[in-house]
Amino acid sequence: MSNTVFQLMQELEHEQIVICNDPHSKLKAIIAIHNTTLGPALGGTRMWNYVSDDDAMIDALRLSRGMTYKAAISGLNLGGGKAVIIGDPSLKSEALWRRYGKFVNSLNGKYITAEDVNTSASDMEYIHLETKHVTGIPEYMGGSGDPSPFTAYGVFVGMKACAKKHYGTDDLQGKRVLVQGVGHVGQYLVGHLVEAGAQVYITDINETRIKETTDKFKVEFIAPERMLDVDLDIYAPCALGATINDDSMQKLRCPIIAGAANNQLAIEKVHGAQLIEKGILYAPDFLINAGGLVNVAAEAGGAYNREKVTKDVEKIYDRILDIFALSENEKITTQEAAIRIAQKRIDDVAHVKSRL
Ligand code: NAD
């Protein structure tokens, strides 16, 4: 392992990285455990054909840190972790998932996995054959199934809070919203927005998903390279991370950014500050996209109740408004404000735990 990994771990304050290798099933995975102060590290497993192993490591490290803050700000007694599997998602197999499940099991509950990009409830079913430390398993197995509808609902609720702050009303009727990425989360989000009377544009790179979404909801498709040329009220990044970067910053004109993607800011401090300079209200990603985590956390905790989960997800509305107020009062970015609240809860609980 290179010094760079230790440097990154120290910089981002990670506890542990587990590197898993099984040539027989072609499994190459990285499990990143960021912080377990509040509880076991819960976070999904992403499968992606990374350009390099370094890219995969950086993704795992950044995503797991986000999970720590997501759980903390959502009031959950969970730590932050995330795993990435390096490889072509079309080549996933029973053997790969079961071998991966064994690696998860070897951590004895310190890390609990779930779905993420390119992984599904049926993949969790295979993992569950080898470990009980997995959530988001199908409903017919007693699980809560795909968490994406809850993530999408949380983003919708958070978007309404952004509208309330910017326009003085949370009515999204007529608002021009671009949903970038109409996958698991994006499709449900489009459904909520259409129902609320928003004028929805979508963009994606997957022809099938574009057709499914435009057929089902009669929304307008915009080519990815043109997406920020359109006059928008709200931009909802729901594909991959780092879409708020030096390039997009030149083009961004909409007053609100509120979407599901993790790690939307390419460089947190730099791009967070530039958004403030441009007068763009940014809903911190790990706060607005916490609905799915709230759902799988309820499943992991037992006694799952869908109505209670829905009410808990709706708390995102007030949390977003609180963060905007803190950001304004303290003259810090909204991302910094959210991290401050999350870190305070972690520090407070660590203090409590250090006493008899
Ligand atoms: P997904 O893989 O189902 O969907 C992602 C979509 O984005 C796909 O349709 C893909 O074709 C599209 N896409 C990829 N690159 C693109 C590009 N350059 N331009 C336009 N579209 C592009 O993933 P998902 O589960 O819907 O998650 C979306 C995002 O939300 C991810 O960043 C994920 O980490 C985050 N997130 C998801 C959940 C959840 O519950 N699924 C929870 C929290 C955060």
Side-chain angles (χ1 to χ4, degrees):
M1 201 186 299
S2 68
N3 279 338
T4 325
V5 173
F6 278 115
Q7 277 164 7
L8 274 170
M9 281 179 81
Q10 277 160 13
E11 199 180 301
L12 300 175
E13 300 182 350
H14 280 75
E15 287 180 17
Q16 188 179 1
I17 305 291
V18 182
I19 297 181
C20 317
N21 179 44
D22 183 56
H24 183 85
S25 61
K26 300 192 172 52
L27 173 72
K28 276 175 75 178
I30 300 167
I31 301 173
I33 297 175
H34 179 252
N35 188 301
T36 55
T37 305
L38 297 178
L42 196 159
T45 299
R46 173 172 296 195
M47 187 160 186
W48 195 257
N49 218 348
Y50 289 97
V51 172
S52 70
D53 294 351
D54 281 353
D55 283 2
M57 179 62 78
I58 289 167
D59 211 22
L61 290 171
R62 290 192 72 192
L63 289 166
S64 54
R65 173 175 172 265
M67 293 308 293
T68 296
Y69 295 139
K70 193 183 302 199
I73 206 163
S74 305
L76 302 170
N77 292 314
L78 289 168
K82 197 93 179 182
V84 299
I85 295 185
I86 302 164
D88 180 348
S90 68
L91 301 178
K92 55 190 181 182
S93 65
E94 175 185 355
L96 179 135
W97 290 122
R98 295 186 65 164
R99 186 67 189 95
Y100 174 64
K102 285 230 167 200
F103 279 113
V104 171
N105 200 50
S106 71
L107 292 167
N108 294 318
K110 187 173 182 182
Y111 170 67
I112 304 169
T113 197
E115 293 93 335
D116 194 67
V117 173
N118 287 325
T119 56
S120 64
S122 58
D123 300 329
M124 300 306 117
E125 193 174 338
Y126 281 133
I127 295 173
H128 189 252
L129 290 172
E130 306 299 337
T131 183
K132 61 180 186 200
H133 304 300
V134 52
T135 57
I137 54 174
E139 286 169 82
Y140 64 82
M141 290 175 67
S144 62
D146 178 14
S148 307
F150 289 96
T151 304
Y153 184 54
V155 172
F156 175 67
V157 165
M159 206 179 261
K160 284 173 79 70
C162 294
K164 176 79 182 166
K165 172 75 184 159
H166 184 76
Y167 297 106
T169 166
D170 63 14
D171 189 355
L172 297 178
Q173 174 88 33
K175 293 283 178 286
R176 297 157 301 179
V177 186
L178 171 82
V179 179
Q180 178 192 25
V182 282
H184 287 93
V185 178
Q187 295 226 3
Y188 288 106
L189 178 60
V190 169
H192 288 301
L193 289 167
V194 167
E195 202 183 334
Q199 185 182 337
V200 182
Y201 302 97
I202 62 146
T203 191
D204 203 298
I205 49 170
N206 179 316
E207 293 297 331
T208 314
R209 283 181 165 163
I210 295 166
K211 182 163 179 358
E212 261 169 32
T213 316
T214 47
D215 284 356
K216 188 170 173 191
F217 297 108
K218 309 279 174 271
V219 290
E220 190 179 331
F221 168 72
I222 310 279
E225 62 280 8
R226 284 208 316 109
M227 68 173 193
L228 295 177
D229 298 342
V230 181
D231 281 331
L232 296 171
D233 297 301
I234 303 173
Y235 162 45
C238 297
L240 293 180
T243 56
I244 303 167
N245 52 40
D246 288 346
D247 287 344
S248 62
M249 195 61 73
Q250 309 297 322
K251 291 184 167 179
L252 279 165
R253 283 174 290 143
C254 60
I256 295 171
I257 300 179
N262 285 306
N263 298 332
Q264 292 171 31
L265 300 169
I267 307 171
E268 245 173 42
K269 278 203 162 63
V270 175
H271 298 116
Q274 287 175 357
L275 288 178
I276 295 209
E277 279 163 28
K278 290 185 80 144
I280 297 176
L281 202 53
Y282 171 69
D285 44 18
F286 63 82
L287 168 55
I288 194 168
N289 73 13
L293 178 66
V294 170
N295 185 60
V296 290
E299 179 188 329
Y304 179 77
N305 179 310
R306 195 164 275 264
E307 285 71 41
K308 163 95 171 57
V309 170
T310 304
K311 286 209 165 62
D312 285 345
V313 172
E314 285 168 355
K315 292 178 185 163
I316 288 174
Y317 187 101
D318 286 337
R319 286 195 185 111
I320 296 246
L321 291 178
D322 289 348
I323 291 301
F324 288 159
L326 182 65
S327 153
E328 257 176 23
N329 292 341
E330 299 286 319
K331 307 211 173 346
I332 53 179
T333 68
T334 54
Q335 188 84 353
E336 283 167 332
I339 291 176
R340 195 178 283 188
I341 297 288
Q343 191 61 51
K344 180 171 183 331
R345 178 159 179 257
I346 294 167
D347 294 344
D348 287 351
V349 172
H351 173 77
V352 171
K353 284 188 175 180
S354 71
R355 297 294 187 267
L356 285 176

